Amino acid sequence: MSKRHVKNLVLFFMMSVVILLPQINQHAMILGDDSLFHLNRFYDTAMQLKDHNLQYFISMYGYFGSGRIVNALYGPGIAYLNGVLLLIGGSWFKYQLLSDLFVSMLAAISMYYLVNRAKIAQSLQPWLVILYMSSNGVLAWATDQQFLGWGTAILPIGIAVIIRLLQDDEPVNILEMAFSVAIMVQMHMLTAVIYVAVLAVIFLIRMVQSPQRWSMVRSASLAAVFALGLTANIWLGMLEVFGSNHVLSPTTQVTPMDHVLLINSNNYLSGLFKIIFGLQLGFVGLFFHKISRVNRWVTVTGGILLLMTMPFLPWNWLFNHVPGLSIIQFPFRFLPFATALLIIGFGLSLTQIMAEIRTNGQDKWPSNRRLVPFFITGLATVAVLVAANQVYDASQSWSDGTVVKTRVNVKQEVSNEQLKESFSNFYPLNTALENVWKPTPDYVPLPSGKIPAHPYYEYQLEIGDTRHAFTRTIRNGKMYVTWQQKKAGWQAVNVVKYAHTQLVLNKQSLSNKDIKLSDIGVVRVYGQAGKNVLQVQYQPQPFMRWGFIVLIVSWISWLGLAIYRHWKR
């Protein structure tokens, strides 16, 4: 690795720390909209790793040990990575800092790869990377624990594939394209869906224009097959769950127009980025035929995606009338794509301006060649300060005693001071998750196939509120739920059952006729007087084992081919 790369990586790490300094100085946990949902995910994987009780499908530690399936359908690899970070940190505060730094550096490295791929001037590259690190999409993880931040962090790798399509004589690199799709699918499915859609449109247009169209089709097909192998656990996991169960999908937005980008508000995009995007769109509009094809493509595509985040489209009507569109949940999902594309376009424009100055103006104004780097350095510095201020604002809920930023559907069972204390390293990790929780019912089974009228309330009533009546032990990949009954009779146990969940009550295997299920799959069993023990485990179909073999072989093959290609080059 060259000294330039090392120097830039150190700079990126320093800027990441600067952005997080307000949180570090206040020793604040930031509990945003999705925090409690994700903290349970990562606590579950951390304890699996710590106790050597691996269970890919059902949650035995998180979500009150309810046996619900979440991680297998929602970035399982990243869930285990966060579990590792939680074990390394040892406390929720240290974990949050580690994960925030990880996302920030992941965004930096992937964007650094992109600016090099796009052949942007070296003097501009680190500052464009810092701009991207400071963008709202990347910060969404630090300030709100939106998993969108993880998807945004690796998005530039996908944009690099698009740049290659537009820039190179050999427009498809099989390993790069396969990796870009696979890593997004493994990390954040919604980001992957939008990315594949954008990639497909640009690929088709480029294919029609290229004399190598059949070679492109062949290479893209091989990349698609490779990507399927690299994500075998995701698709087969979905087949395992959705193929044998009706499950409750995440909530779709009835009024997506409430989640659009407004020009006169900093709701999803700071004023600085609005200025940068305005400058880039204006520059390309004025000099459309004088700039490179790549710059035209990325700017026009970024501009279209930016418009799609705004209230110019009838999003409420579209969500209600276009099947499948509601999967994106919010129009602002397009913003990270617009941000990455327009920042790259901005860098390409500045690179062209620098080249013009060197060619035409250096003799008259020698200092002009330094104006552009100074300009972009100033913008990046302001972006870091704005980002740090956003982290400061997010940290205020902890510092002013509010603790939890957003309290919609949040259940808190202790005082704010006790809650803050329970997040400290003086208490076991699960203490805080017992003290504050959110009855988010995503992916619970629906035995009748019908969505309950009030799924949040049913989850709270049947799983959260009843948890203290049971004790749990976990060993050898099985969970044992114990309770006492005064007399024999039907007893609701706060465990949900999927088609392949296996239950054994007091050493007697239970069939479906021995069990009653609520609207969200919570089991009722006929217990005996006195002590009862319900053994819970999940037995997936045999194809999952083959899926993991395909996954491992595919990643080993990809890594081997990537090393061989790099060595050969």
Side-chain angles (χ1 to χ4, degrees), residues 171-231:
V172 177
N173 180 309
I174 296 172
L175 294 179
E176 183 184 53
M177 184 177 282
F179 178 78
S180 69
V181 174
I183 196 67
M184 288 191 205
V185 170
Q186 290 284 2
M187 194 167 288
H188 193 241
M189 184 61 76
L190 284 177
T191 301
V193 168
I194 300 173
Y195 166 62
V196 170
V198 173
L199 177 62
V201 170
I202 294 178
F203 176 85
L204 289 172
I205 295 172
R206 183 75 172 90
M207 184 188 71
V208 171
Q209 298 172 340
S210 174
Q212 309 173 57
R213 59 179 62 93
W214 295 116
S215 174
M216 288 181 63
V217 171
R218 184 172 58 252
S219 297
S221 299
L222 289 172
V225 172
F226 213 154
L228 285 173
L230 295 170
T231 54

Side-chain angles (χ1 to χ4, degrees), residues 111 153 223 282 481:
M111 191 63 174
V481 184

Side-chain angles (χ1 to χ4, degrees), residues 260-304:
V260 294
L261 173 65
L262 302 174
I263 296 296
N264 60 348
S265 170
N266 290 333
N267 54 344
Y268 298 115
L269 192 67
S270 68
L272 176 66
F273 281 96
K274 292 174 186 174
I275 293 171
I276 292 171
F277 295 168
L279 289 172
Q280 172 59 14
L281 292 167
F283 179 83
V284 170
L286 288 172
F287 303 102
F288 190 80
H289 296 292
K290 295 183 179 181
I291 61 175
S292 68
R293 178 179 65 181
V294 175
N295 197 355
R296 287 197 297 268
W297 270 100
V298 298
T299 303
V300 170
T301 306
I304 291 171

